[in-house]
PDB file of all heavy atoms in Angstrom:
ATOM      1  N   SER H 411     -94.693  18.236-104.245  1.00 98.00           N
ATOM      2  CA  SER H 411     -95.202  19.153-105.189  1.00 98.00           C
ATOM      3  C   SER H 411     -96.085  18.371-106.310  1.00 98.00           C
ATOM      4  O   SER H 411     -96.312  17.187-106.100  1.00 98.00           O
ATOM      5  CB  SER H 411     -94.072  19.983-105.922  1.00 98.00           C
ATOM      6  OG  SER H 411     -94.636  20.989-106.746  1.00 98.00           O
ATOM      7  N   MET H 412     -96.414  19.101-107.396  1.00 98.00           N
ATOM      8  CA  MET H 412     -97.096  18.498-108.512  1.00 98.00           C
ATOM      9  C   MET H 412     -96.334  18.889-109.774  1.00 98.00           C
ATOM     10  O   MET H 412     -95.623  19.974-109.788  1.00 98.00           O
ATOM     11  CB  MET H 412     -98.542  18.952-108.596  1.00 98.00           C
ATOM     12  CG  MET H 412     -99.336  18.664-107.305  1.00 98.00           C
ATOM     13  SD  MET H 412    -101.025  19.176-107.374  1.00 98.00           S
ATOM     14  CE  MET H 412    -101.736  17.954-108.494  1.00 98.00           C
ATOM     15  N   GLN H 413     -96.469  18.136-110.815  1.00 97.00           N
ATOM     16  CA  GLN H 413     -95.768  18.461-112.094  1.00 97.00           C
ATOM     17  C   GLN H 413     -96.190  19.847-112.597  1.00 97.00           C
ATOM     18  O   GLN H 413     -97.391  20.246-112.463  1.00 97.00           O
ATOM     19  CB  GLN H 413     -96.091  17.404-113.158  1.00 97.00           C
ATOM     20  CG  GLN H 413     -95.425  16.079-112.947  1.00 97.00           C
ATOM     21  CD  GLN H 413     -96.097  15.101-112.017  1.00 97.00           C
ATOM     22  OE1 GLN H 413     -97.096  15.508-111.364  1.00 97.00           O
ATOM     23  NE2 GLN H 413     -95.643  13.819-111.912  1.00 97.00           N
ATOM     24  N   ARG H 414     -95.225  20.574-113.124  1.00 97.00           N
ATOM     25  CA  ARG H 414     -95.477  21.906-113.677  1.00 97.00           C
ATOM     26  C   ARG H 414     -95.932  22.899-112.678  1.00 97.00           C
ATOM     27  O   ARG H 414     -96.796  23.728-112.885  1.00 97.00           O
ATOM     28  CB  ARG H 414     -96.407  21.827-114.882  1.00 97.00           C
ATOM     29  CG  ARG H 414     -96.186  20.736-115.833  1.00 97.00           C
ATOM     30  CD  ARG H 414     -94.766  20.699-116.384  1.00 97.00           C
ATOM     31  NE  ARG H 414     -94.289  21.887-117.114  1.00 97.00           N
ATOM     32  CZ  ARG H 414     -93.092  22.075-117.494  1.00 97.00           C
ATOM     33  NH1 ARG H 414     -92.146  21.178-117.319  1.00 97.00           N
ATOM     34  NH2 ARG H 414     -92.751  23.214-118.160  1.00 97.00           N
ATOM     35  N   SER H 415     -95.339  22.772-111.452  1.00 97.00           N
ATOM     36  CA  SER H 415     -95.673  23.742-110.371  1.00 97.00           C
ATOM     37  C   SER H 415     -94.467  24.538-109.989  1.00 97.00           C
ATOM     38  O   SER H 415     -94.455  25.200-108.893  1.00 97.00           O
ATOM     39  CB  SER H 415     -96.236  22.974-109.170  1.00 97.00           C
ATOM     40  OG  SER H 415     -97.455  22.349-109.460  1.00 97.00           O
ATOM     41  N   GLY H 416     -93.459  24.542-110.783  1.00 97.00           N
ATOM     42  CA  GLY H 416     -92.213  25.337-110.472  1.00 97.00           C
ATOM     43  C   GLY H 416     -91.214  24.589-109.584  1.00 97.00           C
ATOM     44  O   GLY H 416     -90.238  25.203-109.146  1.00 97.00           O
ATOM     45  N   SER H 417     -91.462  23.300-109.396  1.00 97.00           N
ATOM     46  CA  SER H 417     -90.537  22.575-108.516  1.00 97.00           C
ATOM     47  C   SER H 417     -89.151  22.373-109.103  1.00 97.00           C
ATOM     48  O   SER H 417     -88.129  22.364-108.352  1.00 97.00           O
ATOM     49  CB  SER H 417     -91.161  21.184-108.146  1.00 97.00           C
ATOM     50  OG  SER H 417     -91.375  20.462-109.289  1.00 97.00           O
ATOM     51  N   GLU H 435     -86.280  14.301-109.108  1.00 97.00           N
ATOM     52  CA  GLU H 435     -87.518  13.533-109.028  1.00 97.00           C
ATOM     53  C   GLU H 435     -87.234  12.050-109.042  1.00 97.00           C
ATOM     54  O   GLU H 435     -87.540  11.368-110.056  1.00 97.00           O
ATOM     55  CB  GLU H 435     -88.423  13.970-110.209  1.00 97.00           C
ATOM     56  CG  GLU H 435     -89.838  13.761-110.016  1.00 97.00           C
ATOM     57  CD  GLU H 435     -90.659  14.401-111.156  1.00 97.00           C
ATOM     58  OE1 GLU H 435     -90.330  15.551-111.571  1.00 97.00           O
ATOM     59  OE2 GLU H 435     -91.583  13.776-111.696  1.00 97.00           O
ATOM     60  N   SER H 438     -89.852   9.229-110.048  1.00 97.00           N
ATOM     61  CA  SER H 438     -90.400   9.182-111.396  1.00 97.00           C
ATOM     62  C   SER H 438     -90.186   7.766-111.957  1.00 97.00           C
ATOM     63  O   SER H 438     -90.898   7.379-112.903  1.00 97.00           O
ATOM     64  CB  SER H 438     -89.835  10.229-112.281  1.00 97.00           C
ATOM     65  OG  SER H 438     -88.436  10.077-112.406  1.00 97.00           O
ATOM     66  N   MET H 479     -93.342  14.090-106.369  1.00 98.00           N
ATOM     67  CA  MET H 479     -94.676  14.455-106.879  1.00 98.00           C
ATOM     68  C   MET H 479     -95.772  13.716-106.082  1.00 98.00           C
ATOM     69  O   MET H 479     -95.533  12.504-105.771  1.00 98.00           O
ATOM     70  CB  MET H 479     -94.815  14.224-108.362  1.00 98.00           C
ATOM     71  CG  MET H 479     -93.743  14.966-109.208  1.00 98.00           C
ATOM     72  SD  MET H 479     -93.862  16.788-109.197  1.00 98.00           S
ATOM     73  CE  MET H 479     -92.499  17.187-108.006  1.00 98.00           C
ATOM     74  N   LEU H 480     -96.896  14.290-105.947  1.00 98.00           N
ATOM     75  CA  LEU H 480     -97.999  13.691-105.209  1.00 98.00           C
ATOM     76  C   LEU H 480     -98.473  12.372-105.814  1.00 98.00           C
ATOM     77  O   LEU H 480     -98.901  11.451-105.104  1.00 98.00           O
ATOM     78  CB  LEU H 480     -99.170  14.625-105.077  1.00 98.00           C
ATOM     79  CG  LEU H 480     -98.932  15.971-104.348  1.00 98.00           C
ATOM     80  CD1 LEU H 480    -100.221  16.764-104.161  1.00 98.00           C
ATOM     81  CD2 LEU H 480     -98.250  15.808-103.016  1.00 98.00           C
ATOM     82  N   ASN H 481     -98.376  12.312-107.157  1.00 98.00           N
ATOM     83  CA  ASN H 481     -98.937  11.103-107.829  1.00 98.00           C
ATOM     84  C   ASN H 481     -97.799   9.992-108.054  1.00 98.00           C
ATOM     85  O   ASN H 481     -98.001   9.104-108.811  1.00 98.00           O
ATOM     86  CB  ASN H 481     -99.473  11.513-109.245  1.00 98.00           C
ATOM     87  CG  ASN H 481     -98.417  12.081-110.107  1.00 98.00           C
ATOM     88  OD1 ASN H 481     -97.269  12.370-109.701  1.00 98.00           O
ATOM     89  ND2 ASN H 481     -98.828  12.313-111.379  1.00 98.00           N
ATOM     90  N   GLN H 482     -96.728  10.134-107.259  1.00 98.00           N
ATOM     91  CA  GLN H 482     -95.657   9.144-107.391  1.00 98.00           C
ATOM     92  C   GLN H 482     -95.521   8.330-106.120  1.00 98.00           C
ATOM     93  O   GLN H 482     -94.467   8.167-105.503  1.00 98.00           O
ATOM     94  CB  GLN H 482     -94.328   9.775-107.672  1.00 98.00           C
ATOM     95  CG  GLN H 482     -94.287  10.484-109.089  1.00 98.00           C
ATOM     96  CD  GLN H 482     -93.012  11.287-109.326  1.00 98.00           C
ATOM     97  OE1 GLN H 482     -92.277  11.554-108.436  1.00 98.00           O
ATOM     98  NE2 GLN H 482     -92.875  11.721-110.546  1.00 98.00           N
ATOM     99  N   ARG H 507     -98.744  25.652-107.031  1.00 97.00           N
ATOM    100  CA  ARG H 507     -99.076  26.891-107.807  1.00 97.00           C
ATOM    101  C   ARG H 507    -100.438  27.406-107.354  1.00 97.00           C
ATOM    102  O   ARG H 507    -101.396  26.597-107.152  1.00 97.00           O
ATOM    103  CB  ARG H 507     -99.184  26.627-109.280  1.00 97.00           C
ATOM    104  CG  ARG H 507     -97.812  26.585-110.017  1.00 97.00           C
ATOM    105  CD  ARG H 507     -97.922  26.566-111.487  1.00 97.00           C
ATOM    106  NE  ARG H 507     -97.724  27.756-112.125  1.00 97.00           N
ATOM    107  CZ  ARG H 507     -97.145  28.016-113.239  1.00 97.00           C
ATOM    108  NH1 ARG H 507     -96.625  26.988-113.894  1.00 97.00           N
ATOM    109  NH2 ARG H 507     -96.985  29.226-113.763  1.00 97.00           N
ATOM    110  N   ARG H 513    -100.993  26.391-114.392  1.00 97.00           N
ATOM    111  CA  ARG H 513    -100.326  25.045-114.355  1.00 97.00           C
ATOM    112  C   ARG H 513    -100.935  24.166-115.389  1.00 97.00           C
ATOM    113  O   ARG H 513    -100.187  23.405-116.047  1.00 97.00           O
ATOM    114  CB  ARG H 513    -100.600  24.481-112.952  1.00 97.00           C
ATOM    115  CG  ARG H 513    -100.040  22.992-112.859  1.00 97.00           C
ATOM    116  CD  ARG H 513    -100.489  22.353-111.546  1.00 97.00           C
ATOM    117  NE  ARG H 513    -100.035  20.985-111.550  1.00 97.00           N
ATOM    118  CZ  ARG H 513    -100.767  20.007-112.030  1.00 97.00           C
ATOM    119  NH1 ARG H 513    -101.979  20.212-112.528  1.00 97.00           N
ATOM    120  NH2 ARG H 513    -100.263  18.775-112.101  1.00 97.00           N
ATOM    121  N   MET H 514    -102.246  24.179-115.652  1.00 98.00           N
ATOM    122  CA  MET H 514    -102.855  23.323-116.647  1.00 98.00           C
ATOM    123  C   MET H 514    -102.301  23.637-118.028  1.00 98.00           C
ATOM    124  O   MET H 514    -101.982  22.721-118.840  1.00 98.00           O
ATOM    125  CB  MET H 514    -104.323  23.533-116.696  1.00 98.00           C
ATOM    126  CG  MET H 514    -105.074  22.750-117.718  1.00 98.00           C
ATOM    127  SD  MET H 514    -106.844  22.972-117.741  1.00 98.00           S
ATOM    128  CE  MET H 514    -107.326  22.124-116.234  1.00 98.00           C
ATOM    129  N   SER H 516     -99.362  24.819-118.723  1.00 97.00           N
ATOM    130  CA  SER H 516     -97.959  24.301-118.783  1.00 97.00           C
ATOM    131  C   SER H 516     -97.930  22.795-118.958  1.00 97.00           C
ATOM    132  O   SER H 516     -97.123  22.186-119.665  1.00 97.00           O
ATOM    133  CB  SER H 516     -97.265  24.667-117.491  1.00 97.00           C
ATOM    134  OG  SER H 516     -95.925  24.261-117.492  1.00 97.00           O
ATOM    135  N   VAL H 517     -98.907  22.105-118.229  1.00 98.00           N
ATOM    136  CA  VAL H 517     -98.998  20.634-118.405  1.00 98.00           C
ATOM    137  C   VAL H 517     -99.280  20.233-119.827  1.00 98.00           C
ATOM    138  O   VAL H 517     -98.661  19.349-120.422  1.00 98.00           O
ATOM    139  CB  VAL H 517    -100.035  20.094-117.454  1.00 98.00           C
ATOM    140  CG1 VAL H 517    -100.341  18.601-117.726  1.00 98.00           C
ATOM    141  CG2 VAL H 517     -99.560  20.156-115.987  1.00 98.00           C
ATOM    142  N   ASN H 520     -96.318  21.001-122.176  1.00 97.00           N
ATOM    143  CA  ASN H 520     -95.181  20.057-122.000  1.00 97.00           C
ATOM    144  C   ASN H 520     -95.591  18.717-122.633  1.00 97.00           C
ATOM    145  O   ASN H 520     -94.706  18.029-123.129  1.00 97.00           O
ATOM    146  CB  ASN H 520     -94.884  19.976-120.469  1.00 97.00           C
ATOM    147  CG  ASN H 520     -93.655  19.096-120.237  1.00 97.00           C
ATOM    148  OD1 ASN H 520     -92.561  19.411-120.577  1.00 97.00           O
ATOM    149  ND2 ASN H 520     -93.879  18.003-119.534  1.00 97.00           N
TER     150      ASN H 520
END
Side-chain angles (χ1 to χ4, degrees):
S411 187
M412 303 180 75
Q413 286 84 353
R414 313 310 297 176
S415 296
S417 59
E435 203 170 316
S438 61
M479 302 295 104
L480 300 188
N481 62 353
Q482 294 174 349
R507 279 188 101 142
R513 175 186 175 272
M514 178 180 288
S516 182
V517 169
N520 185 64

